């Protein structure tokens, strides 16, 4: 089973999730619709802290299966939370945009993320908080925070996931294996090396954390813990389950955090956070993962050969494989998922190109008239701008969206089919590089709503394609929280 989450009868974390019970966030027998705690003397009991002083503890009957699990997703533009039961049912969910805080001339991202974290915790229904057994968080990959381990204060502003440090790339390439994942200007290691070479003050107590690590630290208070998904782009070798010798020999290696598997219990939630929000005494905080991995976990693609295509602004694919594939020439790398590998790549084609040409209303109306069984004779390579990453590595590739037929239906058909061909080529490349052959594709992102496109892709890929039943990364983070308690 993916991530080896133990069975808690009758639970499998990849059962189809259901929607929240509208108007009723109560646990099955413990809490009324008004949030009043109900006591049944015949049931096992647990100490639950209510709001107020430490004296306000209430004995509450607790059944096996009553505990809930909280996951939070900190994405590129906002954050979400999801509370699930052991069977995968969603009990509550919500989202928050990041508030804009400025510090001098730059955005205070740490202040914004901390405020958002507290807002999400406050958004969890009061009646559910006493039953939260564990919490996990995912964050954007390669978002880097360097702080003083003695004080917890940042030593520089956060370096975001999409920021590049080309000044450090030659040095990183000189120490890392050829075509390694860190050999990209936006890698965590390039950001660390760039900071190390430019920071003139005392570095003895410096510590590197990823976005998810830092947010989780605010909850558990133990500095220096990360997971092997977030640590991949700093050079951690998930196959050896250690930092490689070429990295440990560098003068900045002491800055690196210790590594655990995603969904590992770190420790209990801090007392001040527990008191402020009303979580139970035994609530634990678990290691997280990246936002894209959490979204994959949510889609329940649990066997080798299963894949998830995200049809958002760009086209991103992730394939569960028995083999690890790394090739920086195509931006292809593998995340470890227990004894399997999640192989991924991303093309610059996708929904952003469609929105340059059509409105959402146009897309919906025109798609109704497309016959997905018929192949389009039009051959395009839809790109927003010059340059492609995957499955063709060509920074000079020009967009190709002509000739344009008189019929907008035919034009849209040709673009959708051309993107499907790129998707097929991408999966074929992964197989050529040694990944497990794709057998089934789940679809996430805005493009998953277009049924005609799904049918086109089924024909072009020659594979079953379906919309993923759950695609929110917060749901995947909640599954990791459940794993932490199952261990």
């Amino acid at each position: 089973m993916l991530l080896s989450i133990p069975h808690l009868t009758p639970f499998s974390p990849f059962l189809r999730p259901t929607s929240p019970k509208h108007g009723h966030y109560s646990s099955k027998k413990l809490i009324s619709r008004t949030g009043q705690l109900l006591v049944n003397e015949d049931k096992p009991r647990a100490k639950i802290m209510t709001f107020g002083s430490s004296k306000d503890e209430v004995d509450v009957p607790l059944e096996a299966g009553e505990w809930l699990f909280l996951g939070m997703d900190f994405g590129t533009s906002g954050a979400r939370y999801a509370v699930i039961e052991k069977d995968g049912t969603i009990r509550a969910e919500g989202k928050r945009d990041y508030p804009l805080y400025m510090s001098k001339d730059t955005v205070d991202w740490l202040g914004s993320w901390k405020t958002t974290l507290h807002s999400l915790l406050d958004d969890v229904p009061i009646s559910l908080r006493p039953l939260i057994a564990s919490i996990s968080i995912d964050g954007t990959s390669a978002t880097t925070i360097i702080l003083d381990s003695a004080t917890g204060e940042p030593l520089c502003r956060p370096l975001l996931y999409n920021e590049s440090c080309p000044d450090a790339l030659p040095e990183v390439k000189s120490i890392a294996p050829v075509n390694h994942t860190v050999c990209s200007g936006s890698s965590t290691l390039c950001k660390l090396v760039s900071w190390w070479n430019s920071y003139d003050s005392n570095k003895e107590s410096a510590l590197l954390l990823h976005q998810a690590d830092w947010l989780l630290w605010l909850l558990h208070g133990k500095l220096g813990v990360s997971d092997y998904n977030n640590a991949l782009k700093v050079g951690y070798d998930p196959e050896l389950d250690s930092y490689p010798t070429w990295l440990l020999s560098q003068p900045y290696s002491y800055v690196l955090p210790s590594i655990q598997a995603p969904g590992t219990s770190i420790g209990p939630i801090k007392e001040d956070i527990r008191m402020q929000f009303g979580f139970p005494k035994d609530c634990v905080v678990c290691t997280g993962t990246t936002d894209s991995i959490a979204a994959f976990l949510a889609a329940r693609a649990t066997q080798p050969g299963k894949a998830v295509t995200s049809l958002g602004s760009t086209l991103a694919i992730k394939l569960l494989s028995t083999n690890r594939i790394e090739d920086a020439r195509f931006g292809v790398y593998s995340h470890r998922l227990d004894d399997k590998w999640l192989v991924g790549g991303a093309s610059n084609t996708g929904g952003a190109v469609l929105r340059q040409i059509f409105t959402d209303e146009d897309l919906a109306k025109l798609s109704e008239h497309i016959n997905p069984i018929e192949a389009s004779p039009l051959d395009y390579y839809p790109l927003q701008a010059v340059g492609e990453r995957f499955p063709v590595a060509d920074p000079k590739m020009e967009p190709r969206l002509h000739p344009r037929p008189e019929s907008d239906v035919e034009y849209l058909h040709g673009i959708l089919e051309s993107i499907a061909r790129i998707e097929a080529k991408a999966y074929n490349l992964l197989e050529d590089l040694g990944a497990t052959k794709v057998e089934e594709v789940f679809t996430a992102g805005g493009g998953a709503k277009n049924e005609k496109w799904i049918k086109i892709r089924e024909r072009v890929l020659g594979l079953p394609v379906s919309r993923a039943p759950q695609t929110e990364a917060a749901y995947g983070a909640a599954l990791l929280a459940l794993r932490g308690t199952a261990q």
Side-chain angles (χ1 to χ4, degrees):
M1 174 176 288
L2 186 62
L3 280 176
S4 298
I5 300 178
H7 286 286
L8 297 180
T9 308
F11 171 67
S12 168
F14 302 101
L15 293 175
R16 183 180 299 274
T18 59
S19 299
K21 300 173 176 66
H22 297 291
H24 185 179
Y25 288 115
S26 69
S27 181
K28 296 183 181 72
K29 297 182 180 179
L30 298 184
I31 301 173
S32 71
R33 292 175 186 267
T34 61
Q36 178 183 0
L37 292 173
L38 303 179
V39 177
N40 182 332
E41 296 298 335
D42 295 330
K43 300 294 184 183
R45 310 171 78 78
K47 293 282 189 182
I48 300 295
M49 180 67 68
T50 60
F51 300 95
S53 72
S54 59
K55 297 179 181 179
D56 295 331
E57 289 190 349
V58 180
D59 278 337
V60 179
L62 191 63
E63 290 183 339
E66 296 286 3
W67 288 116
L68 302 175
F69 310 91
L70 171 61
M72 287 177 280
D73 160 51
F74 279 71
T76 57
S77 59
R80 294 176 178 266
Y81 84 88
V83 176
I84 66 171
E85 298 177 1
K86 287 200 304 182
D87 65 357
T89 300
I90 299 173
R91 293 297 301 277
E93 54 188 344
K95 62 180 179 179
R96 287 270 182 166
D97 294 329
Y98 296 135
L100 182 62
Y101 295 152
M102 301 299 295
S103 177
K104 297 181 179 179
D105 296 328
T106 60
V107 177
D108 177 11
W109 284 114
L110 294 183
S112 177
W113 296 335
K114 183 176 180 179
T115 296
T116 304
L117 173 66
H118 284 211
S119 296
L120 289 180
L121 294 175
D122 201 46
D123 289 344
V124 176
I126 292 176
S127 60
L128 299 187
R129 294 182 212 169
L131 299 175
I132 301 296
S134 55
I135 302 172
S136 186
I137 298 175
D138 71 74
T140 48
S141 177
T143 292
T144 306
I145 300 164
I146 301 173
L147 47 75
D148 187 325
S149 61
T151 65
E153 293 298 315
L155 295 177
C156 64
R157 66 171 182 82
L159 299 170
L160 302 183
Y161 68 98
N162 58 351
E163 290 188 59
S164 183
C165 297
D167 58 294
L169 192 54
E171 182 176 339
V172 169
K173 285 186 173 181
S174 72
I175 62 172
V178 176
N179 294 330
H180 194 281
T181 304
V182 298
C183 297
S184 165
S186 61
S187 73
T188 313
L189 184 56
C190 276
K191 290 165 183 168
L192 171 59
V193 170
S194 179
W195 172 83
W196 180 267
N197 291 337
S198 61
Y199 189 73
D200 296 327
S201 299
N202 193 334
K203 305 170 186 173
E204 288 184 2
S205 59
L207 175 67
L208 182 146
L209 294 177
H210 307 90
Q211 182 189 30
D213 309 335
W214 183 80
L215 289 161
L216 288 164
W217 166 64
L218 296 179
L219 299 183
H220 60 68
K222 297 180 180 180
L223 268 177
V225 182
S226 187
D227 64 271
Y228 58 58
N229 291 153
N230 271 298
L232 184 73
K233 292 183 180 179
V234 79
Y236 189 81
D237 189 330
E239 193 166 12
L240 296 177
D241 205 10
S242 67
Y243 290 107
T245 53
W246 60 262
L247 182 56
L248 291 175
S249 64
Q250 304 306 311
Y252 44 77
S253 63
Y254 70 88
V255 175
L256 301 171
S258 63
I259 304 300
Q260 302 285 343
T264 300
S265 175
I266 301 170
I269 194 168
K270 287 167 57 181
E271 185 68 8
D272 59 333
I273 297 292
R274 186 181 76 82
M275 289 286 292
Q276 180 179 352
F277 295 101
F279 293 111
K281 282 189 172 182
D282 291 336
C283 180
V284 297
V285 181
C286 306
T287 48
T289 187
T290 67
D291 53 351
S292 62
I293 300 296
F296 184 89
L297 296 178
R300 302 181 302 116
T302 59
Q303 298 298 321
K306 307 293 185 182
V308 173
T309 295
S310 179
L311 294 172
S313 298
T314 59
L315 183 149
I317 70 175
K318 292 189 181 299
L319 168 66
L320 195 61
S321 171
T322 57
N323 301 319
R324 180 185 185 184
I325 307 299
E326 305 279 340
D327 198 323
R329 293 175 303 168
F330 303 104
V332 174
Y333 57 91
S334 297
H335 276 287
R336 178 182 166 189
L337 292 180
D338 276 352
D339 61 343
K340 300 180 182 66
W341 298 94
L342 189 55
V343 184
S347 167
N348 289 336
T349 193
V353 182
L354 292 170
R355 296 199 172 202
Q356 284 183 327
I357 305 169
F358 304 105
T359 66
D360 287 347
E361 185 178 0
D362 289 337
L363 290 171
K365 288 183 177 180
L366 294 173
S367 294
E368 292 177 1
H369 301 286
I370 292 176
N371 182 355
I373 305 302
E374 294 183 0
S376 170
L378 301 172
D379 183 21
Y380 302 135
Y381 206 107
L383 296 171
Q384 254 193 310
V386 174
E388 174 63 309
R389 300 171 290 169
F390 172 79
V392 178
D394 184 357
K396 297 181 180 180
M397 178 180 280
E398 296 277 349
R400 191 171 73 247
L401 286 162
H402 294 284
R404 177 168 181 166
E406 294 183 6
S407 167
D408 284 344
V409 173
E410 291 179 15
Y411 192 41
L412 176 59
H413 188 175
I415 295 174
L416 295 181
E417 183 138 341
S418 295
I419 295 175
R421 294 190 197 111
I422 295 170
E423 181 184 5
K425 188 172 183 177
Y427 281 119
N428 287 336
L429 173 62
L430 293 185
E431 184 182 355
D432 291 343
L433 292 174
T436 299
K437 182 179 177 63
V438 61
E439 297 177 352
E440 182 179 10
V441 175
F442 297 99
T443 305
K449 301 174 184 177
N450 192 317
E451 293 294 336
K452 295 295 182 72
W453 200 1
I454 287 179
K455 293 297 183 184
I456 290 172
R457 292 167 55 226
E458 278 194 320
R459 172 172 51 78
V460 173
L461 270 65
L463 297 167
V465 179
S466 60
R467 185 178 179 182
Q470 177 58 252
T471 59
E472 292 294 346
Y475 186 88
L479 292 178
L480 288 180
L482 185 145
R483 171 185 174 152
T485 57
Q487 290 175 328

